[in-house]
Amino acid sequence: MESILDLNKEQLITYLQSIRQPAYRWKQIWHGLYVEMYDSWLQFTNLPLELRGYLQEHFTISNLSLADHIHSSDGSTEKVLFSLPDGNPIETVLMEYEERISICVSSQSGCSIGCKFCATGKLGLLHNISCGEMLAQVLHFARASNQEKHPITNIVIMGMGEPLLNYAEVKKAIEILNDHDGLNIGSRHITLSTIGIPEQILQFAYDFPQLNLAVSLHAANDQQRDKLIPINKKYNIAMLLEAVKQYIALTNRRVTFEYVLIADQNDAVSDALQLGSILHGLLCHVNLIPLNPTAHFNGNPPPLERIEKFQQVLNDHHIPATIRFSKGTQIQAGCGQLAGKSH
Ligand code: SF4
């Protein structure tokens, strides 16, 4: 059955017109879904009983089934495994920081990109997630957070999948997340993370000039990046950086580059020097992420002093760089660890 969350505002209005409902009806439903965050048609007591029954026969609210969930021992991270209607898995992670609460949303079940260090990539692409399935991930956590009076502040589209390869649905979901009559998550609080699909980066710039863009670079030259990220053979670093330059010119927004540091593979001072050189002059920030271990990749994070040296070289090149230890690595919820499995 179709999820009501798959309808954007215009589609909902059109649908309600088609079943001869008054013009104000969409507002009641929209408010119930995204402000009250009802998860059952029975809660829509503001609707006539007959309409409630009709909607219940034609739409579910969420199409996701909760399959498993796990908390980190410090309670700051929760990972949820959902099952899609076709049985494929997706994972969503809630991360609590002192000043914000972020949800890391999946945009695909599995992923076709196949980055060597990533557990999701090992699955291949299983399913493109619909707009409603992305919103259902957010609402699952937002309901609990609102009850505890700690509303969700940030969304990062950084979970399973490559969002720019499912862009139409991702775009629709972002528009609903951002909607002032609903969840009202501010543009500056939404980040899309991509491995780098040049033409889609430009489309994203046109569609969402106020959102944050993170680009997973992970290497400073094509020889290394080809080995880690197979799609680099199609879209090499020069093509990617050209798209990023155009993105910055269009939006005047700072881009974040993600760089997973892998001992003896991309963590040498010479790599940092090369990275400093290719990023020179770009309005950017680099997040240095020590590799999170996964079962299928033979690699280790570098020792801390080597990571700090790498950071120092970038800073010497006037490239701001931050060392980021992923939250939730202990529960396999860190970057590259989402494998769609129960615990
Ligand atoms: S790192 Fe991202 S793009 Fe690469 S395989 Fe994993 S989910 Fe896909």
Side-chain angles (χ1 to χ4, degrees), residues 4-292:
I4 193 81
L5 303 178
D6 278 318
L7 303 190
N8 63 21
K9 206 183 265 182
E10 292 69 35
Q11 290 171 320
L12 180 62
I13 291 169
T14 305
Y15 176 75
L16 291 169
Q17 279 169 351
S18 76
I19 57 169
R20 299 177 186 283
Q21 288 297 312
Y24 58 82
R25 198 67 85 202
W26 74 266
K27 275 192 184 167
Q28 295 174 305
I29 296 177
W30 201 258
H31 188 84
L33 291 172
Y34 299 113
V35 179
E36 301 298 339
M37 302 185 197
Y38 297 148
D39 59 359
S40 158
W41 288 114
L42 298 176
Q43 293 171 288
F44 283 80
T45 49
N46 54 345
L47 299 179
L49 201 55
E50 193 186 347
L51 177 61
R52 249 187 285 164
Y54 184 87
L55 290 171
Q56 188 158 16
E57 274 175 31
H58 290 81
F59 293 97
T60 59
I61 292 183
S62 167
N63 262 337
L64 303 183
S65 313
L66 183 68
D68 197 4
H69 68 114
I70 182 167
H71 287 88
S72 62
S73 55
D74 68 357
S76 69
T77 309
E78 181 184 1
K79 181 172 80 165
V80 167
L81 174 68
F82 294 107
S83 185
L84 295 163
D86 61 7
N88 281 315
I90 52 170
E91 289 181 310
T92 314
V93 181
L94 175 116
M95 295 160 291
E96 280 191 51
Y97 301 86
E98 258 177 37
E99 75 295 2
R100 67 183 196 277
I101 300 182
S102 281
I103 304 181
C104 179
V105 174
S106 289
S107 56
Q108 296 180 309
S109 173
C111 182
S112 61
I113 302 286
C115 301
K116 297 298 178 211
F117 51 84
C118 174
T120 306
K122 294 282 175 289
L123 302 172
L125 178 63
L126 303 172
H127 178 105
N128 266 326
I129 295 174
S130 74
C131 152
E133 288 159 351
M134 282 177 250
L135 295 169
Q137 296 173 59
V138 174
L139 287 168
H140 170 85
F141 286 109
R143 287 182 190 109
S145 288
N146 273 15
Q147 273 173 11
E148 291 165 16
K149 307 269 185 261
H150 296 302
I152 302 300
T153 56
N154 292 66
I155 303 290
V156 291
I157 306 172
M158 211 179 259
M160 298 172 92
E162 166 48 59
L164 293 185
L165 292 182
N166 185 22
Y167 186 61
E169 293 299 312
V170 168
K171 180 180 176 206
K172 194 171 162 186
I174 291 172
E175 285 165 349
I176 296 175
L177 289 168
N178 200 212
D179 184 81
H180 294 289
D181 295 320
L183 287 159
N184 197 19
I185 310 263
S187 298
R188 301 281 172 115
H189 292 246
I190 302 175
T191 300
L192 181 141
S193 174
T194 177
I195 208 71
I197 315 291
E199 63 272 16
Q200 291 296 103
I201 288 177
L202 293 185
Q203 188 59 51
F204 178 69
Y206 285 116
D207 291 337
F208 299 111
Q210 299 297 318
L211 261 72
N212 304 306
L213 176 69
V215 175
S216 297
L217 193 55
H218 306 324
N221 61 65
D222 286 324
Q223 206 184 359
Q224 278 179 2
R225 200 166 188 265
D226 282 352
K227 285 188 202 149
L228 294 172
I229 303 170
I231 206 169
N232 193 65
K233 294 190 179 114
K234 184 172 178 189
Y235 304 118
N236 63 24
I237 292 178
M239 293 164 80
L240 175 54
L241 292 184
E242 182 53 36
V244 169
K245 277 181 197 155
Q246 290 183 40
Y247 170 89
I248 294 169
L250 283 165
T251 64
N252 202 27
R253 302 278 294 147
R254 181 184 298 270
V255 170
T256 298
F257 287 102
E258 311 285 358
Y259 193 103
V260 167
L261 279 164
I262 309 168
D264 302 323
Q265 295 199 34
N266 64 357
D267 66 333
V269 166
S270 57
D271 296 318
L273 286 167
Q274 200 169 12
L275 187 60
S277 161
I278 63 172
L279 299 185
H280 181 74
L282 277 182
L283 182 60
C284 70
H285 184 100
V286 176
N287 280 339
L288 298 171
I289 307 163
L291 178 74
N292 295 318

